[in-house]
Amino acid sequence: VQLVESGGGLVQAGGSLRLSCAASGRTFTTIGWFRQAPGKEREFVASISWSISTYYADSVKGRFTISRDNATNTVYLQMNSLKPEDTAVYYCAAGGPASSSSRWSWGSWGQGTQVTVSS
């Protein structure tokens, strides 16, 4: 499966962004979002299964929402109430179990999109 992220950018704290992950190839799969800040490990953000079960990191619960449009093979990450600590490169990933927050469980990755939240 091939993954292409888009929608990143610069936003002020408290603002919103919506990231998109367009999938092609084997699209009947779970999709996850991870992020990596400079000098830090890549960390799990959210995931969604084909049956629309969703999982979130505690740090984003109540602020981020993951959804998917199976007709267009696109997964979205709506990010509200953004904080400076949300600044990172955001990656979408495919193939892992939706309940897994380990990056090593996910086999396919996009190129990433930068999200910068200014204070």
Side-chain angles (χ1 to χ4, degrees):
V1 60
Q2 292 74 48
L3 305 168
V4 179
E5 304 96 333
S6 61
L10 173 64
V11 64
Q12 289 188 331
S16 299
L17 282 174
R18 188 177 79 158
L19 305 183
S20 300
C21 174
S24 60
R26 182 179 180 271
T27 56
F28 295 88
T29 185
T30 57
I31 298 290
W33 284 98
F34 288 74
R35 66 187 182 187
Q36 188 165 17
K40 295 188 176 181
E41 295 292 319
R42 191 169 299 187
E43 65 175 4
F44 172 78
V45 175
S47 62
I48 186 166
S49 70
W50 178 251
S51 61
I52 321 297
S53 296
T54 58
Y55 301 83
Y56 295 94
D58 288 343
S59 58
V60 306
K61 279 181 183 176
R63 300 189 298 123
F64 291 11
T65 302
I66 190 170
S67 61
R68 69 188 299 161
D69 182 343
N70 290 333
T72 62
N73 300 321
T74 303
V75 171
Y76 302 99
L77 185 68
Q78 178 66 44
M79 307 186 296
N80 298 329
S81 302
L82 282 162
K83 305 175 181 179
E85 51 262 44
D86 294 317
T87 295
V89 177
Y90 283 70
Y91 298 89
C92 66
S99 59
S100 175
S101 61
S102 170
R103 61 174 293 187
W104 308 110
S105 298
W106 298 77
S108 299
W109 293 86
Q111 82 288 351
T113 186
Q114 176 71 45
V115 171
T116 302
V117 184
S118 63
S119 57

